Amino acid sequence: MLKPGSNNKKLGFKITSKRWEGKRLYSLTLEERKTCPTTCHHWNDCYGDNMPFAHRFTTAGLIPKLKEEIDSLMNKHPDGIVIRLHVLGDFYSEDYVRFWEEMLFVHPKLCLFGYTSRKGDNIAHAIWLLNIRFDQRCVIRCSDNKEAGKPHGNSQEPFVQDWKYAAEESFEGNSFDCPEQTGKVKSCAACGLCWTTKKTVRFLSH
Ligand code: SF4
């Protein structure tokens, strides 16, 4: 289920950027829409609509299989691995977020990065806590921008500023454009800005 970043031109495999240098990058793809909040602003024009051949994994039996794969990859790569969550799909339950928390706890050389459209629900709150608890090893950005001014969690999550953001091309606030999309770096493995800077990343429309 965890695909090496070498299968995905944008991701790359061996991380050369700072902080997580030397780790190997893998990705996980879930079923879009089935795992996503219906409030996602790309519900009607999901990136996955143009990816008919992407290998999506269902949530049935997902967690035990992921545990096995992570154990095996941690043995294979002594410097550890980074998992990009999720090429398609999203965090679908609080238990699923807690599974990642357990993995980060059990594997000190495991890192996570990615994006979520969860907002204002218990799943968003659990992701927010995951980012806070493992702030050096887990960066899940909110697919939105801070200036949108919406609270990104429930009343237990008052600190909107603690989220990092991933905005769309139309966003005109303080941000930087993804350097892979503008041809300045080859891949996420060589860039790493999503997990090393607090600044909002802006993505060109797909
Ligand atoms: S900013 Fe860097 S790490 Fe983030 S998606 Fe673009 S290339 Fe990847």
Side-chain angles (χ1 to χ4, degrees), residues 35-50:
T35 56
C36 302
T38 53
T39 51
C40 173
H41 51 269
H42 281 299
W43 188 262
N44 293 320
D45 65 343
C46 176
Y47 187 56
D49 294 347
N50 298 321

Side-chain angles (χ1 to χ4, degrees), residues 10 115 176 178-180 185 187-188 191-195 201 203:
K10 169 156 187 156
Y115 318 91
F176 67 93
C178 165
E180 188 277 336
V185 297
S187 64
C188 294
C191 168
L193 285 175
C194 277
W195 60 86
V201 56
F203 291 114

Side-chain angles (χ1 to χ4, degrees), residues 8 11 26-30 47-48 51 54 84-89:
N8 179 323
L11 291 180
Y26 286 80
S27 69
L28 177 64
T29 303
L30 299 181
Y47 187 56
M51 297 171 62
R84 158 80 162 87
L85 302 174
H86 307 88
V87 174
L88 297 174

